[in-house]
């Protein structure tokens, strides 16, 4: 999760943007859900307010439900979860009303299949990058992953990212 | 954008960078969320730059404060780092050193935790600045925090006073791109100049020092009237103005922008929360019809403003008086004020409806729990089995406060409180001739922090209880800082080990036994024997050292000797293990109607074999 945030913040920095974000430490880390915020551009506060985020990346369907509250009208939500439409009806209506586009992608399974279960987050990021509305492009994100992944995970991370980007199922 | 090196740093790392760039010679700390990452980052920069900065994890905050203070007596620059409740422990030297003053720049970094996220109170460090009569600086962002560290050292050296830097959690745990600038190398050979009227002042001299302190504070206030630490943002609509500091200022700026109100109302940002620039504030307030004061976690600026007739804040209930001033809270305050002025704000999605929907889904709320394989769980389980639920279990501050979930922690007051509360409970029941078993738990680092005097006191005054020292070889809660018992130093070097067992013995305890709590049955028997000792005619406090490294800190024993478990057909899904043992790796499979092991997080500790009364959890066949 922190690594996923780092992929975006390092990309932004490399392209000359300011970044500001927030993360959880201490007691709240022992279990509980961990949320990491990231703002790119000129900001003062590291927290993203409810109803203002452009993108939410959720690495579990439950986290998607919890994270939706941060999305603005027209925002994007990427969820790592099993294929098939399992959204709660009411929540689905809420997303439709507010033009929130939700993409569910089985990142865990895909990562497992290519033999790098630890890189599931990267598969979800890859998938997200295949959507044109996302900030940055494939090459920029790929370059960051190459640069910041420790060498022994590099191959796995890149493979997972590419599999996601190709929307491999 | 400039060409110099930039890195995305945690606020605490930015502060560390500021400390190092200021040429600070001595840095001390006791870990505590949200301050714990500062000292390790100082170590990082020290190593990268080949500096000989003295860094230490001290035994507690009072000790840390005094060690750093003495370095300042010799003319060196020094910083001491802690969380806000740590400053309670260091309040004694803080008050006194305000009188004696300092020589080399001396900065006290005390991180606040509005929320609170990881603390026992939401107290405001800045009140200590008022109390001790020393200046306090309040950064809004990591970048500003780094700048303020430098400003604090310079201020301290101009006025020979300790200066408090108060980052709140949203600064400490924010991440921002930070520019590195070259480090100042300050040549300051240690040179303690004897001046008994100051450094050893008796009450007669103290009166003089108090007068001197008042003058210093007066001068500092004058300086703050024109300081760059206080800035303003112009705005033509003077029906409303804002006075804000710290994190609240940052949230205010972003929220005004989101509400398309940026640049409309004037803002006075107060970076010097104490003393506030009184004239500047007065002029600002005079120019506005009303002024909303935003600061966290308490009304420190607001209280200092002399004429409060135009203020909207915590004192008149406009701003909530507990909890974090989150972006949502600040937005609501702004929308309300805008509406009162007859202004429209952009509409947004109403997330209330969503919260309702998501709430109705009944998603599992994962409360904080001890990790799979945590030795504390084994110890608590053995204790409960030995002494039952009639015993009283005073607890303490650390990961093991989560023994709460297992009903094995009945009190949690402050650092070291387990030992003193146990003593007091014993004395209260003894007075009525009642024999209630008392079993206290305290972690290794917490015991060293303030359990030792408490234990000496208990022995001296004849208290009787079982004290279980949960020794997992590290300060786990705050990120695995080494303890004196390990002998490892803050920068990875080897120091002299101070053994917990020796300290317990030196406190006069007659019953001391150490055991691995994973051996649940033997551990249970040991607790029974310990409890028996507290009842014997010549008995007293019995100390059990539950020794086993934290599974996150040192997983090697489990990797070498895994005890994989499996759950047999005998499980009837009674949930006993889920409630009384609560290993996150044991989960109820609703479809099967029984418990299964989540292999992804199970660490093969094998302790849960003891947790099922029906014997359904068994060691797996190889
Ligand atoms: S494993 Fe034992 S304690 Fe846990 S639910 Fe099954 S029968 Fe009950
Ligand atoms: S062996 Fe049992 S107690 Fe240990 S981690 Fe696995 S499920 Fe939890």
């Amino acid at each position: 999760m922190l690594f996923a945030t780092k992929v975006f913040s390092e990309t932004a920095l490399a392209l000359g943007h300011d970044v500001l974000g927030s993360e959880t430490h201490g007691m709240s880390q022992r279990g509980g859900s961990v949320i990491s915020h990231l703002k790119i551009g000129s900001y003062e506060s590291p927290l993203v307010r409810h109803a203002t985020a452009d993108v939410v990346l959720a690495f579990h369907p439950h986290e998607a439900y919890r994270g939706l509250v941060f999305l603005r009208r027209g925002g994007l939500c990427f969820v790592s979860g099993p294929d098939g439409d399992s959204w709660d009806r009411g929540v689905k209506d809420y997303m439709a009303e507010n033009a929130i586009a939700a993409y569910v992608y089985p990142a865990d399974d895909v990562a497992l299949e290519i033999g790098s279960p630890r890189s599931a987050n990267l598969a979800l990021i890859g998938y997200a990058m295949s959507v044109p509305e996302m900030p940055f492009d494939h090459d920029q994100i790929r370059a960051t992953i190459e640069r910041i992944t420790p060498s022994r995970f590099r191959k796995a991370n890149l493979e997972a990212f590419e599999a996601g980007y190709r929307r491999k199922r | 954008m400039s060409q110099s090196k930039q890195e995305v740093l945690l606020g605490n790392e930015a502060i560390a960078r500021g400390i190092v760039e200021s040429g600070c010679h001595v840095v001390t700390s006791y870990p505590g969320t949200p301050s714990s990452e500062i000292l390790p980052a100082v170590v990082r920069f020290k190593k990268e730059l080949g500096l000989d900065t003295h860094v230490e994890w001290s035994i507690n905050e009072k000790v840390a404060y005094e060690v750093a203070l003495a370095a300042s007596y010799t003319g060196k620059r020094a910083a001491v780092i802690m969380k806000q409740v740590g400053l309670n422990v260091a309040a004694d030297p803080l008050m006194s050193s305000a009188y004696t003053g300092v020589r080399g720049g001396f900065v006290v970094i005390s991180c606040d935790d509005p929320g609170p996220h990881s603390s026992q109170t939401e107290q405001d460090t800045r009140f200590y600045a008022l109390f001790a009569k020393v200046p306090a600086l309040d950064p809004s962002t990591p970048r500003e925090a780094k700048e303020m560290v430098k400003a604090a050292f310079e201020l301290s050296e101009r006025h020979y006073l300790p200066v408090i830097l108060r980052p709140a959690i949203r600064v400490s745990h924010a991440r921002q791109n930070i520019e590195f600038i070259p480090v100042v190398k300050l040549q300051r050979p240690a040179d303690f100049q004897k001046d008994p009227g100051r450094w050893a002042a008796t009450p007669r001299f103290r009166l003089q020092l108090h007068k001197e302190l008042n003058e210093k504070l007066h001068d500092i206030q004058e300086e703050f009237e024109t300081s760059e630490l206080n800035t303003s943002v112009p705005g033509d609509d003077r029906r409303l103005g804002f006075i804000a500091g710290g994190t609240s200022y940052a949230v205010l700026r972003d929220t005004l922008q989101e509400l398309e109100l940026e640049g409309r109302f004037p803002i006075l940002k107060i970076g010097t929360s104490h003393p506030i620039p009184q004239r500047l504030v007065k002029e600002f307030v005079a120019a506005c019809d009303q002024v909303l004061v935003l600061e966290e976690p308490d009304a420190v600026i607001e209280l200092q403003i002399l004429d409060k007739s135009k203020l909207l804040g915590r004192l008149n209930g406009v701003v909530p008086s507990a909890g974090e001033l989150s972006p949502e809270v600040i937005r609501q305050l702004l929308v309300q004020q805008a509406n009162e002025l007859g202004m429209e704000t952009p509409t947004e999605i109403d997330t209330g409806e969503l919260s309702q929907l998501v709430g109705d889904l009944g998603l599992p709320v994962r409360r904080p729990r001890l990790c799979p394989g945590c030795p504390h769980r084994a110890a608590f389980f053995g204790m409960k089995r030995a002494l039952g639920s009639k015993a009283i279990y005073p607890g303490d501050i650390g990961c093991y406060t989560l023994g709460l979930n297992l009903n094995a922690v009945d009190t949690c007051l402050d650092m070291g409180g387990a030992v003193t509360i146990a003593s007091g409970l014993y004395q209260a029941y003894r007075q009525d001739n009642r024999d209630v078993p008392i079993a206290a738990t305290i972690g290794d680092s917490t015991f060293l922090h303030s359990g030792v005097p408490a234990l000496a006191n208990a022995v001296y005054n004849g208290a009787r209880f079982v004290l279980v020292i949960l020794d997992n070889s590290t300060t786990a809660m705050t990120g695995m800082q080494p303890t004196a018992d390990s002998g490892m130093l803050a920068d990875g070097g080897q120091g002299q080990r101070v053994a917990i067992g020796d300290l317990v013995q030196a406190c006069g305890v007659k019953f001391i036994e150490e055991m691995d709590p994973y051996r649940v049955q033997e551990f249970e028997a040991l607790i029974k024997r310990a409890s028996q000792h507290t009842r014997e005619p010549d008995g007293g406090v019995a100390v059990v050292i539950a020794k086993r490294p934290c599974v996150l800190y040192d997983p090697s024993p489990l990797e070498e000797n895994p005890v994989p478990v499996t759950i047999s057909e005998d499980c009837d899904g009674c949930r006993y293990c889920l409630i009384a043992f609560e290993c996150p790796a044991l989960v109820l499979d609703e479809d099967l109607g029984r418990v299964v092991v989540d292999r992804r997080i199970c660490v093969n500790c094998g302790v849960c074999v003891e947790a099922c009364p029906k014997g359904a959890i068994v060691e797996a066949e190889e």
Side-chain angles (χ1 to χ4, degrees), chain B residues 380-563:
Chain B
F380 284 127
F381 191 71
M383 283 171 66
K384 284 285 307 218
R385 234 166 46 178
L387 303 179
S389 45
K390 284 216 189 69
I392 308 179
Y393 297 97
D396 220 298
I397 310 266
C399 286
Y400 52 90
T401 310
L402 296 172
L404 205 59
N405 298 356
L406 307 171
N407 296 319
V409 166
D410 294 323
T411 70
C412 171
L413 181 72
D414 63 0
M415 295 287 284
V419 186
T420 42
I421 295 291
S423 308
L425 288 170
Y426 169 78
Q427 304 294 5
Y429 279 101
R430 183 203 50 82
Q431 204 162 44
D432 303 345
N433 287 318
R434 286 179 55 203
D435 175 19
V436 174
I438 299 165
T441 45
I442 188 168
D444 43 357
S445 186
T446 309
F447 177 70
L448 292 161
H449 177 283
S450 43
V452 179
L455 183 57
N457 178 72
V459 172
Y460 168 51
N461 287 296
R464 290 164 175 246
F465 54 86
V466 177
L467 175 63
V468 179
I469 300 177
L470 300 163
D471 182 0
N472 62 359
S473 311
T474 187
T475 317
M477 169 100 275
T478 49
M480 313 299 167
Q481 294 79 10
T483 68
D485 183 82
S486 73
M488 211 208 290
L489 298 175
D491 59 4
Q494 190 59 43
Q496 172 86 41
R497 180 174 176 230
V498 179
I500 286 177
D502 294 350
L503 288 170
V504 173
Q505 194 165 19
C507 286
V509 174
K510 300 286 181 286
F511 185 109
I512 312 173
E513 280 195 46
E514 185 175 294
M515 189 182 280
D516 176 357
Y518 271 17
R519 289 148 67 186
V520 177
Q521 294 185 9
E522 287 160 81
F523 191 79
E524 182 187 340
L526 171 57
I527 297 287
K528 282 188 175 144
R529 266 187 291 128
S531 186
Q532 192 50 44
H533 174 76
T534 66
R535 265 184 218 92
E536 260 143 37
D538 59 346
V541 179
V543 172
V544 171
I545 302 177
K547 195 157 180 65
R548 176 105 202 171
C550 164
V551 283
L552 298 185
Y553 173 68
D554 181 10
S556 62
L558 288 175
E559 284 160 9
E560 284 154 23
N561 279 312
V563 185

Side-chain angles (χ1 to χ4, degrees), chain A residues 18 21 23 30 39 49 66, chain B residues 175 177 254 331 348 364 368:
Chain A
D18 277 330
E23 56 194 52
R30 299 270 176 275
K39 288 158 113 173
R49 188 165 57 74
R66 296 193 178 101
Chain B
R175 275 194 190 273
N177 51 312
D254 282 2
R331 174 180 183 270
E348 283 184 359

Side-chain angles (χ1 to χ4, degrees), chain B residues 235-252:
Chain B
D236 292 332
D237 190 341
R238 307 202 155 234
R239 289 177 297 164
L240 182 65
F242 298 100
I243 292 181
T247 314
S248 306
Y249 169 81
V251 177
L252 171 69

Side-chain angles (χ1 to χ4, degrees), chain B residues 37-304:
Chain B
E37 300 81 10
I38 303 176
L39 194 79
V42 172
V43 171
R44 173 197 150 184
F45 295 127
K46 162 193 151 119
K47 287 187 174 162
E48 283 175 8
L49 300 161
L51 304 172
D52 68 349
T53 323
H54 172 75
V55 288
E56 71 171 52
W57 287 120
S58 306
I59 285 274
N60 66 31
E61 294 85 353
K62 174 186 186 310
V63 170
Y65 191 105
E66 291 163 7
V67 170
L69 178 68
S72 154
Y73 283 2
T74 72
K76 291 182 188 273
R77 283 193 166 180
V80 56
I81 303 152
M82 62 195 78
K83 69 180 294 180
Q84 94 285 38
V85 292
L87 194 53
N88 300 335
V89 178
D92 207 358
L94 168 68
M95 301 302 290
S96 186
S97 61
Y99 277 46
T100 59
V102 303
R103 269 189 64 219
F106 181 56
V107 179
V108 180
I109 299 170
S110 171
C111 301
D112 278 355
D113 183 15
H117 298 267
S118 217
S119 307
Q120 61 267 41
T121 67
E122 277 196 294
Q123 69 188 64
D124 194 319
T125 287
R126 300 171 303 160
F127 274 128
Y128 270 112
L130 270 77
F131 191 23
K133 301 190 170 181
V134 299
L137 308 184
D138 183 14
S140 298
T141 60
R143 213 174 276 161
E144 190 182 31
K146 175 165 167 275
E147 293 311 310
M148 277 189 174
V149 171
K150 293 180 199 177
F153 276 113
E154 287 161 13
L155 182 67
S156 172
E157 286 181 356
R158 271 198 301 280
H159 300 276
Y160 301 102
L161 260 189
V163 173
I164 293 178
L165 179 78
R166 187 291 295 253
I169 191 166
R170 299 304 182 185
V171 171
S172 285
H173 290 165
R175 275 194 190 273
Q176 189 173 32
N177 51 312
I178 304 286
E179 227 174 277
F180 286 16
I181 63 155
V183 167
V184 183
K185 281 234 168 80
L186 290 176
Q187 291 305 326
R188 297 270 182 95
D191 176 24
F192 175 66
Q193 290 176 5
K194 296 194 181 191
D195 179 3
R198 174 170 305 279
W199 308 125
T202 51
R204 189 161 59 85
F205 288 101
R206 289 274 166 172
L207 173 62
Q208 195 48 44
L209 291 176
H210 189 187
K211 289 178 183 165
E212 199 179 279
L213 172 58
N214 289 338
E215 277 162 29
K216 287 179 183 176
L217 200 59
H218 178 265
D219 293 347
I220 290 170
Q221 187 183 314
E222 277 307 308
E223 190 182 313
F224 284 172
E225 295 288 351
T226 53
S227 164
E228 287 171 3
L229 299 169
N230 300 312
T231 53
S232 57
V233 181
D236 292 332
D237 190 341
R238 307 202 155 234
R239 289 177 297 164
L240 182 65
F242 298 100
I243 292 181
T247 314
S248 306
Y249 169 81
V251 177
L252 171 69
R253 288 298 298 270
D254 282 2
T255 313
L256 284 171
Q257 191 145 36
E258 286 154 8
L259 295 178
E260 295 164 13
L261 293 171
E262 182 72 0
R264 175 159 193 139
F265 304 109
I267 307 172
L268 180 61
K269 174 187 189 309
I270 300 290
T272 67
S273 339
H274 178 252
I276 60 165
Q278 288 288 358
R279 285 198 303 281
L280 193 65
V281 167
K282 196 173 167 187
E283 281 163 29
F284 182 84
V285 173
C288 301
D289 294 348
Q290 281 193 310
V291 174
L292 182 62
V293 188
L294 296 171
E295 58 182 323
E296 271 188 319
D298 225 312
V300 174
I301 298 172
E302 194 181 349
L303 276 166
Q304 289 176 80

Side-chain angles (χ1 to χ4, degrees), chain B residues 371-374 377 518 558 563-565 567 581-587 596-599 601-609 611 617:
Chain B
C371 301
C374 176
R377 172 180 297 104
Y518 271 17
L558 288 175
V563 185
V565 298
I567 300 185
F581 192 70
E582 206 192 40
C583 174
L586 293 175
V587 281
V596 293
V597 177
D598 183 347
R599 298 275 166 215
I601 57 172
C602 168
V603 296
N604 301 318
C605 73
V607 176
C608 54
V609 166
I617 308 181

Side-chain angles (χ1 to χ4, degrees), chain B residues 567 570-578 595 611-614 616-617:
Chain B
I567 300 185
D570 296 340
C571 171
D572 61 7
C574 73
R575 304 170 59 101
Y576 176 84
C577 58
L578 303 184
V595 163
C612 173
K614 288 147 199 152
I617 308 181

